[in-house]
Amino acid sequence: MNKIRVHVEKGSSSSYEIHIGTHILDRMALILASQAWARRYFLLTDERVFALHGGRVLGVLRETGLTVEEIVFPGGEESKSIRTCTELAEQLMERGADRTSALIALGGGVVGDLTAFLASIYMRGIAHIQVPTTILAQVDSSIGGKTAVDLPSAKNLLGTFTQPKAVFIDLAFLETLPPREFTNGLAEIVKYGIIEDPEILEDLQKGEEALRRRDPSFLAGIIARACRIKKAIVESDENDRGLRRILNFGHTVGHAIEAESGFAVSHGEAVAMGMCAAALLSERRGHLSPPDREKVFSAIRRAGLPVRIPASLDPEGILRGLKKDKKKEGEQIRFVLLKKPGLPFVNGGIPLSLVRETIEELRA
Ligand code: NAD
Ligand code: ZN
């Protein structure tokens, strides 16, 4: 089992560990039992994850003598709301959860964000533990301490910064992940390769076959590297003011595409298209060489992700989405661009007209 320590300034504990491995639930149970973070645990998860893995997780934890009860809710982004949060809080209260209780988030980013948000406000804050079960949650949402629920009109608008007591990344969960969710998560790994560690892109290329088979040891290696990158970035910018912005690479246009498609284009696919747009913009502005731009495109393609924007999406709709985005400064948009793979920078002054041309060029 691989361990990564995350150091944070805020919160009750100054640091916590990310544990990574295959079939690490036994270890997790022992750690929970020995750490005594809580007297009672509440396992929060969505219906699908509960059906696939809930019984096993509860079994292992209870065998170690831990008191654990499950709270299961419907999956999907619709659940990441203040209403679900209130309902879950009511359930906790009815079952007598108090400040000596802790929450365990078992699931993807929706379960993770919602559970962490609830833990941060229930009785002014109780402990929580992240057990991410999608690639996206393992390399992105479970690390960094951002919690959130959505408003009907704005994603992630309500949230807090709260760190978990620990994160347990068990690659065995990925065996049941649907192909589309798997590829979705790869987009974030490719992003880390592009913004920080181009060796990841080479490894993904060399390991194409292992990746297709979801080989646990290959995945463990690549996911651990991705986690280390996210950890290093959030450690240096816990409150999301500077360096952390580079994590937005591909997300400016990506979010606008996701919204314009009515979420028919998945997050990973949209980010892939957004990364292509950012790379092309970087080339157009003379920052990125054409061969490096091609390197970015081929890494995205090889991961099974799209490098073209569907012609069915209205470019003006995408641009309107960009204008609504908080990254806008007048008629200029703030973008994370590239000088080369591994060398991103933030550019505050990209004219909308250039973004329009880039989107047109990428349309299939
Ligand atoms: P998700 O949680 O909706 O999971 C996707 C689907 O996969 C769900 O239907 C879920 O039931 C299912 N699933 C989960 N694990 C499974 C498994 N092992 N086997 C089979 N099915 C499984 O989505 P996600 O992509 O994991 O996360 C997206 C969310 O993460 C968004 O709400 C986004 O805003 C958030 N996010 C947060 C941060 C952060 O820093 N907090 C960062 C990135 C994304
Ligand atoms: Zn993302």
Side-chain angles (χ1 to χ4, degrees):
M1 192 164 70
N2 207 330
K3 270 198 279 187
I4 302 174
R5 180 161 279 280
V6 184
H7 298 273
V8 284
E9 302 290 322
K10 290 200 327 189
S12 48
S13 60
S14 62
S15 68
Y16 62 92
E17 264 164 359
I18 305 171
H19 305 264
I20 306 174
T22 308
H23 298 296
I24 59 166
L25 292 181
D26 287 324
R27 285 296 308 272
M28 169 170 105
L30 286 176
I31 292 171
L32 290 193
S34 68
Q35 289 289 340
W37 283 313
R39 288 204 203 122
R40 277 174 86 188
Y41 287 93
F42 290 86
L43 181 84
L44 272 66
T45 187
D46 71 28
E47 284 162 357
R48 188 199 281 187
V49 176
F50 187 71
L52 288 165
H53 303 287
R56 193 165 49 91
V57 176
L58 283 173
V60 173
L61 294 176
R62 284 175 181 154
E63 269 167 30
T64 323
L66 295 161
T67 307
V68 197
E69 291 168 45
E70 74 269 24
I71 297 184
V72 184
F73 49 90
E77 191 71 32
E78 308 77 58
S79 281
K80 223 179 96 174
S81 66
I82 199 76
R83 172 194 255 230
T84 316
C85 185
T86 318
E87 285 166 9
L88 296 174
E90 297 267 2
Q91 287 200 47
L92 286 175
M93 192 194 60
E94 278 160 21
R95 298 203 204 176
D98 63 18
R99 296 192 53 80
T100 65
S101 308
L103 309 185
I104 302 174
L106 174 73
V110 164
V111 173
D113 278 12
L114 175 63
T115 303
F117 179 69
L118 176 58
S120 75
I121 56 173
Y122 187 78
M123 294 190 161
R124 299 202 173 78
I126 59 172
H128 84 283
I129 286 127
Q130 291 281 348
V131 187
T133 62
T134 62
I135 295 189
L136 181 132
Q138 295 185 341
V139 300
D140 194 354
S141 60
S142 68
I143 308 164
K146 279 196 198 178
T147 84
V149 295
D150 304 332
L151 286 188
S153 55
K155 220 173 114 58
N156 294 330
L157 196 94
L158 304 176
T160 56
F161 279 104
T162 311
Q163 306 295 340
K165 289 286 181 205
V167 181
F168 294 92
I169 298 180
D170 192 336
L171 286 319
F173 287 120
L174 301 182
E175 281 167 22
T176 58
L177 202 59
R180 196 169 182 215
E181 296 299 343
F182 192 86
T183 314
N184 232 339
L186 285 185
E188 306 292 346
I189 298 182
V190 170
K191 179 188 80 177
Y192 292 128
I194 296 172
I195 61 171
E196 187 65 33
D197 182 4
E199 257 182 44
I200 288 185
L201 305 180
E202 284 166 33
D203 285 359
L204 283 173
Q205 184 176 4
K206 282 189 234 138
E208 222 167 345
E209 170 61 16
L211 191 64
R212 208 184 44 72
R213 278 188 282 115
R214 301 191 187 181
D215 178 77
S217 69
F218 178 76
L219 286 173
I222 211 121
I223 286 175
R225 282 170 76 175
C227 289
R228 280 209 175 81
I229 294 174
K230 173 115 194 211
K231 164 209 130 93
I233 294 174
V234 300
E235 271 178 356
S236 63
D237 184 17
E238 203 186 325
N239 294 321
D240 203 8
R241 306 236 185 272
L243 183 65
R244 204 160 164 164
R245 285 184 187 160
I246 66 167
L247 291 170
N248 264 324
F249 181 71
H251 283 62
T252 310
V253 169
H255 283 144
I257 290 176
E258 226 182 333
E260 178 59 20
S261 76
F263 295 88
V265 174
S266 74
H267 180 72
E269 290 161 356
V271 167
M273 297 170 198
M275 293 194 290
C276 290
L280 197 55
L281 272 170
S282 308
E283 187 190 348
R284 286 278 183 86
R285 299 285 280 199
H287 300 299
L288 188 69
S289 73
D292 277 345
R293 202 267 300 143
E294 181 46 38
K295 220 182 261 176
V296 170
F297 273 50
S298 61
I300 293 169
R301 217 181 279 120
R302 265 198 315 271
L305 288 156
V307 294
R308 299 251 146 227
I309 298 172
S312 56
L313 295 183
D314 174 18
E316 292 310 315
I318 300 174
L319 287 166
R320 272 196 299 278
L322 278 180
K323 284 199 249 172
K324 263 200 277 174
D325 199 289
K326 44 190 180 300
K327 285 151 212 103
K328 193 195 127 184
E329 289 161 15
E331 277 306 292
Q332 317 244 303
I333 311 267
R334 192 168 73 210
F335 263 93
V336 182
L337 297 181
L338 280 181
K339 294 201 166 125
K340 57 180 187 175
L343 208 58
F345 67 104
V346 179
N347 185 317
I350 300 292
L352 262 185
S353 55
L354 187 61
V355 185
R356 178 178 287 115
E357 279 171 37
T358 307
I359 291 174
E360 290 286 359
E361 188 173 333
L362 283 175
R363 286 178 81 209

